[in-house]
Amino acid sequence: MATLAYTSPVGVLVITAHEGALTRLDWQERSHLQVNRDAEEASNEDTRLLAETRHQLDAYFAGTLRRFDLPMNPKGNDLHQAVFQAMLDIPMGETRTYGEVAKKIGNHAQPVGQACGANPIPVIIPCHRILSATGLGGYSGNGGLETKIALLRLEGGYPFLL
């Protein structure tokens, strides 16, 4: 397992790679940042993946990357996996409602919202692109709705916020 602390416009992100795939992305406060850098545990494959993740995040936050191309292994049940894939299918600059995603995967809006909140790789798996039928909905990442709004503004995905 290998981790990378990445300073982004929405906070310090700690990205974890294991066995050649991203498994987590968490926000950390600078004053509490503790990143495990056990070189014996980290494979070269994981280290290369984290370097590529840094490169793609740089391009994303610069506005030049439209879609991440990284191997991922997010933990979650079958419903979670279906919702994660549905989120990945939403193009940058677009949004969907919880209800639209629910209809796409044959479920209900509330479990879709719960799966969004359980997303272990936010930003890269774009749960911020999922909205409620009447507004922004929620966001479980650090900063809550402020972070969701910042990501949507970056992507041009919620025009009346611009």
Side-chain angles (χ1 to χ4, degrees):
M1 182 178 347
T3 56
L4 166 73
Y6 176 83
T7 302
S8 81
V10 293
V12 177
L13 308 176
V14 177
I15 303 121
T16 303
H18 183 64
E19 296 180 353
L22 298 181
T23 57
R24 289 208 61 80
L25 183 150
D26 296 297
W27 274 265
Q28 292 291 329
E29 298 295 325
R30 287 181 190 272
S31 61
H32 298 98
L33 186 61
Q34 295 179 358
V35 178
N36 178 7
R37 297 180 188 270
D38 189 340
E40 291 181 21
E41 284 187 42
S43 72
N44 286 336
E45 182 179 29
D46 290 342
T47 303
R48 283 191 301 274
L49 174 57
L50 290 175
E52 178 60 21
T53 302
R54 176 191 310 268
H55 173 75
Q56 289 190 30
L57 284 167
D58 286 343
Y60 170 76
F61 286 113
T64 60
L65 181 80
R66 306 279 309 158
R67 182 182 273 300
F68 289 98
D69 183 21
L70 299 163
M72 292 180 275
N73 186 16
K75 299 288 185 231
N77 62 30
D78 290 345
L79 171 65
H80 291 145
Q81 297 302 322
V83 172
F84 300 158
Q85 187 56 57
M87 289 188 284
L88 288 166
D89 291 342
I90 302 169
M92 185 178 191
E94 295 184 22
T95 59
R96 302 289 184 273
T97 66
Y98 298 108
E100 288 171 328
V101 172
K103 185 176 179 179
K104 178 180 179 176
I105 66 167
N107 210 300
H108 300 282
Q110 185 176 12
V112 167
Q114 292 168 342
C116 287
N119 177 7
I121 312 173
V123 180
I124 295 171
I125 298 178
C127 50
H128 58 277
R129 296 180 190 158
I130 309 295
L131 311 174
S132 78
T134 59
L136 287 169
Y139 193 69
S140 59
N142 190 45
L145 288 180
E146 286 184 30
T147 299
K148 185 172 189 168
I149 291 167
L151 293 169
L152 290 170
R153 280 187 174 149
L154 172 76
E155 297 181 1
Y158 209 45
F160 63 82
L161 291 174
L162 300 176

